[in-house]
Amino acid sequence: MKKFTGSVLAAIVINTVAFQPALAQEEGTALVPLPSLDDFTRGEDGWAFGLGLGVEYETAYEGSDEFGFEAQPAGAIQWRRGDNIFYFAGEALGWRGLRSDTWLFEATVAFDEGREEGDSDKGRLNGLGNTEEGTEFVLQARRAFDNDWRYWLDGRVITGDNGNLGVFGAGRRFGETRDGTGSELGIVAVFNDSKRANRDFGITASQSAASGLNATNLSGGFRSIGINYTYRNYINKNWQIFGEVFYEHFSSDIRRSPIARSNYEAEVGIGFIYVF
């Protein structure tokens, strides 16, 4: 999700905000009032459904200097019981639970698509082959400074077939509603082990011979620092608009890989969801 056009996204956001507050106040209380965590339950127990489509402008693969548009499905099937939500969203199946008003825990099983040689239209991945697909397990904990969730800290561990990631961040929520609409700004530091670093940016001797790129073996450690802005609002009773801007700056260790044609990854996305 990279660079759609900041001015276009800003114009849509500003116009929507102009008539949103009165509608938002009618919506139910979200499990956690953070726009980055979709909640279609309207504060009620039972089943909830959201279905939509987003368009992203993003780098072709991690470290790429090629950009392009991509359509992505959006929404989820959710089931809520009190302070717990179970959900299925695309390639992820998970649980999210609120504890003591200021602690949020989440566990997810997700599918990692990997990378294909064809992801580069300029042939910059030729000879490297496809990276393996795999299953990932995500464990997350968020701690708010108060039950309004104005400021929060976040920790995530992502482990799976292709290595491990650790993500640590902090964020701030904007807006007064508690229905999960408004906007949110977060900053994260990302760490990886050597297996994950080499899966994404390493080049073996055989890959070097086939691609002409220098062999590269990376150690684990600091991977990147990123900043993310999320926006979500209701246009009317059933339609939601959402947007996201993301920027990730790679560490010097990652940037020394020939795969990293750019020292950053970025994306901009916008979309709509119909909440049943």
Side-chain angles (χ1 to χ4, degrees), residues 27-44 46 48-50 76 78-80 82 84-85 96 178-181 232 234 240 273 275:
E27 297 299 322
T29 301
L31 182 67
V32 178
L34 297 179
S36 59
L37 301 174
D38 52 17
D39 184 346
F40 307 132
T41 66
R42 304 183 192 272
E44 300 178 357
F49 304 89
Q78 301 174 340
W79 185 80
R80 180 169 179 170
N84 299 279
I85 290 179
R96 187 180 297 151
R178 296 188 60 83
D179 63 350
T181 62
R232 185 182 302 274
Y234 278 96
Q240 268 190 14
I273 295 175
V275 181

Side-chain angles (χ1 to χ4, degrees), residues 87-189:
Y87 61 87
F88 174 70
E91 298 174 338
L93 179 67
W95 160 83
R96 187 180 297 151
L98 181 65
R99 299 294 181 267
S100 304
D101 292 330
T102 56
W103 279 99
L104 178 74
F105 297 97
E106 188 164 5
T108 308
V109 179
F111 179 72
D112 177 19
E113 295 181 349
R115 186 190 66 215
E116 298 181 358
E117 281 193 10
D119 288 344
S120 172
D121 292 335
K122 297 181 179 180
R124 289 174 173 168
L125 299 175
N126 290 352
L128 297 181
N130 301 334
T131 60
E132 292 185 3
E133 302 173 340
T135 302
E136 293 183 335
F137 300 91
V138 184
L139 297 176
Q140 177 178 192
R142 289 197 189 194
R143 174 68 162 88
F145 290 93
D146 56 49
N147 60 14
D148 194 39
W149 285 82
R150 185 66 59 196
Y151 297 94
W152 49 265
L153 299 176
D154 176 71
R156 270 170 284 169
V157 175
I158 303 169
T159 183
D161 302 329
N162 297 312
N164 305 296
L165 290 172
V167 183
F168 305 94
R172 193 209 195 275
R173 179 177 75 92
F174 301 92
E176 302 300 326
T177 63
R178 296 188 60 83
D179 63 350
T181 62
S183 60
E184 180 184 349
L185 185 67
I187 184 169
V188 296

Side-chain angles (χ1 to χ4, degrees), residues 189-213:
V190 184
F191 299 83
N192 56 198
D193 62 7
S194 58
K195 184 176 182 180
R196 183 58 178 255
N198 284 297
R199 194 291 294 257
D200 295 335
F201 295 100
I203 300 174
T204 65
S206 59
Q207 288 176 323
S208 176
S211 66
L213 301 175

Side-chain angles (χ1 to χ4, degrees), residues 9-80:
L9 180 58
I12 294 174
V13 168
I14 292 171
N15 290 336
T16 306
V17 169
F19 59 82
Q20 172 57 29
L23 291 171
Q25 296 297 341
E26 299 175 2
E27 297 299 322
T29 301
L31 182 67
V32 178
L34 297 179
S36 59
L37 301 174
D38 52 17
D39 184 346
F40 307 132
T41 66
R42 304 183 192 272
E44 300 178 357
D45 284 357
W47 291 99
F49 304 89
L51 181 63
L53 185 70
V55 178
E56 301 171 354
Y57 184 68
E58 59 183 350
T59 49
Y61 55 90
E62 289 193 89
S64 173
D65 59 356
E66 302 171 54
F67 287 78
F69 289 97
E70 183 175 1
Q72 294 279 2
I77 300 172
Q78 301 174 340
W79 185 80
R80 180 169 179 170

